[in-house]
mmCIF file of all heavy atoms in Angstrom:
data_model
loop_
_atom_site.group_PDB
_atom_site.id
_atom_site.type_symbol
_atom_site.label_atom_id
_atom_site.label_comp_id
_atom_site.label_asym_id
_atom_site.label_seq_id
_atom_site.Cartn_x
_atom_site.Cartn_y
_atom_site.Cartn_z
ATOM 1 N N ALA A 100 -0.072 5.021 -16.025
ATOM 2 C CA ALA A 100 0.633 4.893 -17.301
ATOM 3 C C ALA A 100 1.316 6.195 -17.678
ATOM 4 O O ALA A 100 2.475 6.195 -18.133
ATOM 5 C CB ALA A 100 -0.351 4.468 -18.394
ATOM 6 N N ARG A 101 0.624 7.314 -17.483
ATOM 7 C CA ARG A 101 1.206 8.613 -17.826
ATOM 8 C C ARG A 101 2.365 8.968 -16.888
ATOM 9 O O ARG A 101 3.392 9.503 -17.327
ATOM 10 C CB ARG A 101 0.124 9.686 -17.793
ATOM 11 C CG ARG A 101 -0.890 9.556 -18.924
ATOM 12 C CD ARG A 101 -1.783 10.779 -18.997
ATOM 13 N NE ARG A 101 -2.660 10.895 -17.841
ATOM 14 C CZ ARG A 101 -3.883 10.371 -17.780
ATOM 15 N NH1 ARG A 101 -4.370 9.678 -18.808
ATOM 16 N NH2 ARG A 101 -4.634 10.530 -16.703
ATOM 17 N N ARG A 102 2.207 8.665 -15.598
ATOM 18 C CA ARG A 102 3.291 8.962 -14.672
ATOM 19 C C ARG A 102 4.510 8.077 -14.956
ATOM 20 O O ARG A 102 5.655 8.517 -14.794
ATOM 21 C CB ARG A 102 2.823 8.787 -13.219
ATOM 22 C CG ARG A 102 3.840 9.292 -12.207
ATOM 23 C CD ARG A 102 3.264 9.319 -10.807
ATOM 24 N NE ARG A 102 2.963 7.980 -10.304
ATOM 25 C CZ ARG A 102 2.437 7.726 -9.105
ATOM 26 N NH1 ARG A 102 2.146 8.734 -8.293
ATOM 27 N NH2 ARG A 102 2.183 6.492 -8.717
ATOM 28 N N PHE A 103 4.263 6.851 -15.383
ATOM 29 C CA PHE A 103 5.355 5.950 -15.750
ATOM 30 C C PHE A 103 6.140 6.546 -16.919
ATOM 31 O O PHE A 103 7.377 6.491 -16.952
ATOM 32 C CB PHE A 103 4.791 4.575 -16.112
ATOM 33 C CG PHE A 103 5.799 3.458 -16.103
ATOM 34 C CD1 PHE A 103 6.331 2.994 -14.907
ATOM 35 C CD2 PHE A 103 6.202 2.852 -17.279
ATOM 36 C CE1 PHE A 103 7.263 1.953 -14.889
ATOM 37 C CE2 PHE A 103 7.116 1.813 -17.272
ATOM 38 C CZ PHE A 103 7.649 1.360 -16.075
ATOM 39 N N GLN A 104 5.436 7.132 -17.881
ATOM 40 C CA GLN A 104 6.098 7.783 -19.003
ATOM 41 C C GLN A 104 6.897 8.997 -18.540
ATOM 42 O O GLN A 104 8.020 9.230 -18.996
ATOM 43 C CB GLN A 104 5.064 8.204 -20.046
ATOM 44 C CG GLN A 104 4.404 7.041 -20.773
ATOM 45 C CD GLN A 104 3.350 7.498 -21.756
ATOM 46 O OE1 GLN A 104 2.706 8.533 -21.564
ATOM 47 N NE2 GLN A 104 3.153 6.740 -22.823
ATOM 48 N N ASP A 105 6.316 9.771 -17.618
ATOM 49 C CA ASP A 105 7.015 10.948 -17.097
ATOM 50 C C ASP A 105 8.308 10.542 -16.388
ATOM 51 O O ASP A 105 9.355 11.175 -16.552
ATOM 52 C CB ASP A 105 6.120 11.717 -16.127
ATOM 53 C CG ASP A 105 4.933 12.377 -16.806
ATOM 54 O OD1 ASP A 105 4.970 12.538 -18.048
ATOM 55 O OD2 ASP A 105 3.955 12.696 -16.108
ATOM 56 N N SER A 106 8.215 9.472 -15.584
ATOM 57 C CA SER A 106 9.399 8.996 -14.870
ATOM 58 C C SER A 106 10.465 8.511 -15.847
ATOM 59 O O SER A 106 11.656 8.784 -15.683
ATOM 60 C CB SER A 106 9.021 7.865 -13.908
ATOM 61 O OG SER A 106 8.159 8.311 -12.884
ATOM 62 N N ALA A 107 10.029 7.792 -16.879
ATOM 63 C CA ALA A 107 10.968 7.282 -17.881
ATOM 64 C C ALA A 107 11.691 8.429 -18.573
ATOM 65 O O ALA A 107 12.913 8.388 -18.786
ATOM 66 C CB ALA A 107 10.227 6.415 -18.903
ATOM 67 N N ARG A 108 10.945 9.476 -18.918
ATOM 68 C CA ARG A 108 11.537 10.622 -19.604
ATOM 69 C C ARG A 108 12.633 11.266 -18.737
ATOM 70 O O ARG A 108 13.704 11.600 -19.223
ATOM 71 C CB ARG A 108 10.432 11.626 -19.938
ATOM 72 C CG ARG A 108 10.852 12.736 -20.896
ATOM 73 C CD ARG A 108 9.674 13.658 -21.187
ATOM 74 N NE ARG A 108 8.475 12.909 -21.536
ATOM 75 C CZ ARG A 108 7.349 12.921 -20.826
ATOM 76 N NH1 ARG A 108 7.262 13.640 -19.721
ATOM 77 N NH2 ARG A 108 6.304 12.208 -21.215
ATOM 78 N N ARG A 109 12.336 11.410 -17.438
ATOM 79 C CA ARG A 109 13.307 12.040 -16.542
ATOM 80 C C ARG A 109 14.562 11.186 -16.372
ATOM 81 O O ARG A 109 15.668 11.700 -16.168
ATOM 82 C CB ARG A 109 12.667 12.299 -15.171
ATOM 83 C CG ARG A 109 13.618 12.900 -14.133
ATOM 84 C CD ARG A 109 14.155 14.245 -14.595
ATOM 85 N NE ARG A 109 15.145 14.816 -13.685
ATOM 86 C CZ ARG A 109 16.439 14.533 -13.715
ATOM 87 N NH1 ARG A 109 16.926 13.660 -14.616
ATOM 88 N NH2 ARG A 109 17.267 15.111 -12.857
ATOM 89 N N MET A 110 14.403 9.867 -16.448
ATOM 90 C CA MET A 110 15.522 8.964 -16.235
ATOM 91 C C MET A 110 16.193 8.530 -17.542
ATOM 92 O O MET A 110 16.984 7.590 -17.558
ATOM 93 C CB MET A 110 15.043 7.726 -15.463
ATOM 94 C CG MET A 110 14.432 8.041 -14.102
ATOM 95 S SD MET A 110 15.577 8.818 -12.945
ATOM 96 C CE MET A 110 16.639 7.429 -12.573
ATOM 97 N N ALA A 111 15.863 9.224 -18.640
ATOM 98 C CA ALA A 111 16.460 8.942 -19.954
ATOM 99 C C ALA A 111 16.195 7.516 -20.408
ATOM 100 O O ALA A 111 17.064 6.850 -20.989
ATOM 101 C CB ALA A 111 17.963 9.231 -19.947
ATOM 102 N N MET A 112 14.958 7.051 -20.151
ATOM 103 C CA MET A 112 14.544 5.710 -20.522
ATOM 104 C C MET A 112 13.443 5.792 -21.575
ATOM 105 O O MET A 112 12.775 6.827 -21.692
ATOM 106 C CB MET A 112 14.042 4.958 -19.279
ATOM 107 C CG MET A 112 15.074 4.859 -18.164
ATOM 108 S SD MET A 112 14.387 4.262 -16.587
ATOM 109 C CE MET A 112 14.254 2.501 -16.909
ATOM 110 N N PRO A 113 13.214 4.744 -22.346
ATOM 111 C CA PRO A 113 12.151 4.784 -23.358
ATOM 112 C C PRO A 113 10.771 4.846 -22.696
ATOM 113 O O PRO A 113 10.563 4.259 -21.635
ATOM 114 C CB PRO A 113 12.341 3.475 -24.124
ATOM 115 C CG PRO A 113 13.016 2.568 -23.145
ATOM 116 C CD PRO A 113 13.927 3.461 -22.341
ATOM 117 N N GLU A 114 9.857 5.569 -23.306
ATOM 118 C CA GLU A 114 8.510 5.710 -22.762
ATOM 119 C C GLU A 114 7.621 4.579 -23.266
ATOM 120 O O GLU A 114 7.406 4.437 -24.470
ATOM 121 C CB GLU A 114 7.921 7.065 -23.146
ATOM 122 C CG GLU A 114 8.682 8.240 -22.566
ATOM 123 C CD GLU A 114 8.128 9.574 -23.016
ATOM 124 O OE1 GLU A 114 6.898 9.684 -23.194
ATOM 125 O OE2 GLU A 114 8.928 10.513 -23.203
ATOM 126 N N LEU A 115 7.117 3.775 -22.346
ATOM 127 C CA LEU A 115 6.218 2.687 -22.710
ATOM 128 C C LEU A 115 4.882 3.273 -23.141
ATOM 129 O O LEU A 115 4.270 4.041 -22.384
ATOM 130 C CB LEU A 115 6.028 1.753 -21.513
ATOM 131 C CG LEU A 115 5.126 0.540 -21.745
ATOM 132 C CD1 LEU A 115 5.811 -0.464 -22.666
ATOM 133 C CD2 LEU A 115 4.771 -0.135 -20.412
#
Side-chain angles (χ1 to χ4, degrees):
R101 290 190 293 269
R102 189 171 66 181
F103 198 71
Q104 291 178 330
D105 292 342
S106 295
R108 192 179 312 117
R109 177 60 184 85
M110 301 298 288
M112 302 169 77
E114 297 177 34
L115 181 71

